[in-house]
Amino acid sequence: MRRRRRRAPAWTATLTWKAAVFITVMCCALAALLGVLVHTAVTRQTVSEARDKALARLADATRAYEAGEVLPPDSGIDPAGLPTALRDLAVSGRRGTVVAGAHGRAAMWAAGPADGRALATEIDYSMSAHTIDGLDRAIVGSSLLAIAVTLLIGAFAVSRVTRRLHQTARVARRISAGDLDARVDDPCTANPWRPQDEVAIVAGALDTMASTLQRKLLAEQRFTADVAHELRTPLTGLSAAAELLPSGRPAELVRDRVRTMRALTEDLLEISRLDARTEEVDLAVHELAPLAERVVRASGTETEIRVVGAEAGSGVRNVRVETDRRRLERVLGNLIANAHRHGRPPVVLTVDGPVVTVRDHGPGFPDYLLTGGPQRFRTEGGGKGHGLGLTIAVGQSAVIGTELVLVNAEDGGAEARLTLPEYVQFDEDEPAGRNGDGNGGRTGGDGPSSDGQAEAT
């Protein structure tokens, strides 16, 4: 069995972490290089000074030995503690120096030949060794301090950049979610004469793109709304004129096309209002199952109704939701019409608590719809329609705060699942609806739309 490779934590992929690691590594490398150079230079100079001093004392001792005089202090023939390597060097007829321990302290030894023996002298080197050790500790301490200060300053500088990048990313996500008023407004872009870094350039480009996109979408929305408004008047007259035509097949065709154009015009107006976000919601408490049954009856289609949890002989389960009845009926009506127009029977509407599912047994939703959602004026499969039904259903669902999910069932067919906010009653004596009729709130309003202006499946 192949062993699964462990993934690194997500924070290790951040720019702050990478910058901190880079700064730390570079500071450590630079501190080590400078420390080695300083240590080498100071040690070489200290050893050189001690060596010159030891060789000068060895020269005095050599002159005293040759003159038969008393040797200087810390000098002698083959003294105790003389390093063996230096002794052998002196016996061979050469002079040399070495730093070694003597009497529990560091000493600089210098030795030379003296009648086949070694004439040596020593100088206290402990102070110089302590100086070099202190210098090494100072180098390590100052390096750690410099690394810490540099890391803090670098992290602060990088965090400023990453905060601006995160702000740009948040604005980009808001724009993609439909908030076209969102702008980065980076401080570096406020003054055009101020030099701009790469983050400011990206932020400015995003703001420019959002402004351009907003202008284009507003122009498209105004055009759609204007066209729909302008078409209503001539269509009303055309509808009245069509009713005056003598009975016959041509008259029926004209009336059918006029009804289709009027329905399309109303859909365009509704989409314009949804795009402009000017819709006002009239929330009330309603029993979901009876509401769904009324939508099915009003659609005039052969749609099976199933209520999960209904008890035999006791009717439907009393599940109530807080929603806008007219808009909910519009959504359910469009989903049912879409299932009958582009799917295949049986079409089943299921109420399971606050969840309503409309299921058909046709070929299912196309891939583009599942990936990017409904698209107006795009249909597939050769069916009739303008791709506005599901577009309106999705828009109205967002207005009333419900979640509409479009999926393909595992055993075939398209499935639209609508999840509504369930109403929770805390007072057991409270009536079922606001008006006491079990429907809550309004009892009038427009019925569901079943004009077939639905997305292809």
Side-chain angles (χ1 to χ4, degrees), residues 5-20:
R5 186 177 179 182
R6 292 185 59 185
R7 295 182 59 184
W11 54 267
T12 58
T14 61
L15 182 60
T16 303
W17 165 253
K18 294 179 180 179

Side-chain angles (χ1 to χ4, degrees), residues 274-293:
L274 291 173
D275 289 339
R277 299 182 180 181
T278 58
E279 298 284 69
E280 296 182 358
V281 182
D282 182 13
L283 295 178
V285 180
H286 305 275
E287 291 187 2
L288 184 57
L291 187 149
E293 290 179 349

Side-chain angles (χ1 to χ4, degrees), residues 114-427:
D115 299 329
R117 293 182 296 177
L119 175 62
T121 183
E122 65 173 299
I123 296 177
D124 185 13
Y125 190 73
S126 58
M127 292 301 296
S128 299
H130 288 319
T131 301
I132 294 176
D133 291 341
L135 177 63
D136 290 342
R137 289 192 294 271
I139 291 175
V140 173
S142 59
S143 297
L144 293 177
L145 180 61
I147 291 173
V149 173
T150 304
L151 186 59
L152 290 176
I153 296 175
F156 174 74
V158 173
S159 64
R160 291 189 61 188
V161 176
T162 54
R163 281 198 301 270
R164 294 165 62 194
L165 289 174
H166 284 305
Q167 173 66 14
T168 303
R170 284 194 295 269
V171 171
R173 285 192 289 268
R174 289 173 57 189
I175 293 173
S176 63
D179 185 6
L180 298 181
D181 293 324
R183 298 292 185 273
V184 180
D185 291 330
D186 193 280
C188 295
T189 61
N191 186 1
W193 303 105
R194 181 178 178 180
Q196 298 183 4
D197 57 8
E198 288 77 3
V199 179
I201 294 175
V202 173
L206 180 62
D207 288 347
T208 303
M209 180 198 69
S211 299
T212 303
L213 180 62
Q214 186 178 36
R215 287 195 299 269
K216 290 183 178 180
L217 289 179
L218 290 177
E220 178 184 348
Q221 292 171 10
R222 285 195 299 268
F223 174 77
T224 303
D226 292 343
V227 169
H229 277 290
E230 292 297 328
L231 286 176
R232 294 184 80 178
T233 301
L235 282 176
T236 301
L238 184 60
S239 178
E243 295 298 330
L244 300 177
L245 293 176
S247 300
R249 181 60 179 168
E252 289 298 326
L253 291 176
V254 171
R255 295 189 187 102
D256 179 67
R257 293 300 88 193
V258 170
R259 284 193 296 267
T260 300
M261 291 183 65
R262 292 191 64 180
L264 175 59
T265 302
E266 295 299 328
D267 286 345
L268 289 176
L269 286 173
E270 187 168 357
I271 287 179
S272 299
R273 290 192 295 268
L274 291 173
D275 289 339
R277 299 182 180 181
T278 58
E279 298 284 69
E280 296 182 358
V281 182
D282 182 13
L283 295 178
V285 180
H286 305 275
E287 291 187 2
L288 184 57
L291 187 149
E293 290 179 349
R294 288 197 303 272
V295 173
V296 172
R297 288 196 300 268
S299 68
T301 59
E302 295 181 0
T303 302
E304 179 183 353
I305 302 177
R306 298 176 183 174
V307 180
V308 178
E311 299 179 0
S314 62
V316 298
R317 187 161 60 100
N318 187 21
V319 176
R320 295 190 296 165
V321 295
E322 186 174 12
T323 186
D324 187 321
R325 183 182 63 83
R326 182 184 66 84
R327 299 183 190 279
L328 178 58
E329 289 178 347
R330 172 70 158 161
V331 173
L332 294 178
N334 280 10
L335 295 179
I336 293 173
N338 184 82
H340 281 280
R341 180 177 294 274
H342 301 288
R344 284 196 295 266
V347 175
V348 182
L349 184 146
T350 304
V351 179
D352 184 3
V355 180
V356 181
T357 303
V358 178
R359 161 79 187 280
D360 64 55
H361 292 75
F365 292 116
D367 293 336
Y368 81 87
L369 191 147
L370 298 176
T371 303
Q375 300 177 18
R376 62 193 69 174
F377 297 107
R378 176 174 180 178
T379 58
E380 290 186 358
K384 298 180 180 180
H386 305 281
L388 300 181
L390 287 184
T391 304
I392 293 175
V394 171
Q396 293 289 14
S397 299
V399 170
I400 60 179
T402 62
E403 180 185 9
L404 178 59
V405 179
L406 305 175
V407 296
N408 286 331
E410 295 181 357
D411 55 346
E415 181 176 297
R417 186 167 55 252
L418 188 67
T419 304
L420 295 98
E422 185 172 1
Y423 176 76
V424 179
Q425 179 178 337
F426 296 98
D427 186 2

